[in-house]
Amino acid sequence: MTGATTGTVSVTTPGGTATSATGFTVTVPAPTVTGFTPTSGTVGTLVTINGTNFTGTTAVSFNGTPQPTFTVVSATQLTATVPAGATTGPVQVTNGSGAGASATAFTVNNPVPVLTALSPSSVITGSGTFTLTVIGNNFSPTSEVR
């Protein structure tokens, strides 16, 4: 029944009202994840997740990596950002009745490296061995430095 809530049950007739001594529990079914947009991104990408039974969501994860911060937009949509440490795999939504995972994988892309400085910034040819410090972001995993 739409709109039902957990609690006692009452029956009213012209002769009065009777209320159950025990409660009746209404539970929301486990969520289902039907899709998400975008289908790929880097850590920090905002993802809109579509499905059913998102009311009462208690957890969202990307291939098992939890994202503790999410926003339930409606019973059929929520948003979450890709958490640090996430890898390519299904998106999962959990509520008090269980969990539902996407049939397709969200692809976590490695961000493009950003080089902000070199130290030293120059050397003289033939000056011998030196150490070059490369400063920037998104260097992991690094496969090559040239």
Side-chain angles (χ1 to χ4, degrees), residues 45-146:
T45 298
L46 181 66
V47 179
T48 299
I49 304 166
N50 298 301
T52 62
N53 305 316
F54 289 168
T55 302
T57 294
T58 57
V60 174
S61 65
F62 288 77
N63 200 27
T65 301
Q67 172 47 283
T69 306
F70 54 86
T71 302
V72 176
V73 177
S74 69
T76 60
Q77 189 175 80
L78 60 83
T79 59
T81 58
V82 178
T87 56
T88 297
V91 176
Q92 183 171 310
V93 177
T94 304
N95 69 15
S97 296
S102 61
T104 58
F106 180 86
T107 302
V108 179
N109 300 321
N110 289 325
V112 175
V114 177
L115 192 131
T116 57
L118 299 174
S119 178
S121 60
S122 65
V123 295
I124 298 171
T125 301
S127 61
T129 303
F130 66 94
T131 299
L132 176 65
T133 302
V134 180
I135 302 166
N137 297 310
N138 304 327
F139 292 163
S140 181
T142 298
S143 59
E144 181 178 16
V145 176
R146 283 196 264 168

Side-chain angles (χ1 to χ4, degrees), residues 30-48:
T32 61
V33 177
T34 58
F36 45 82
T37 56
T39 57
S40 66
T42 59
V43 169
T45 298
L46 181 66
V47 179
T48 299

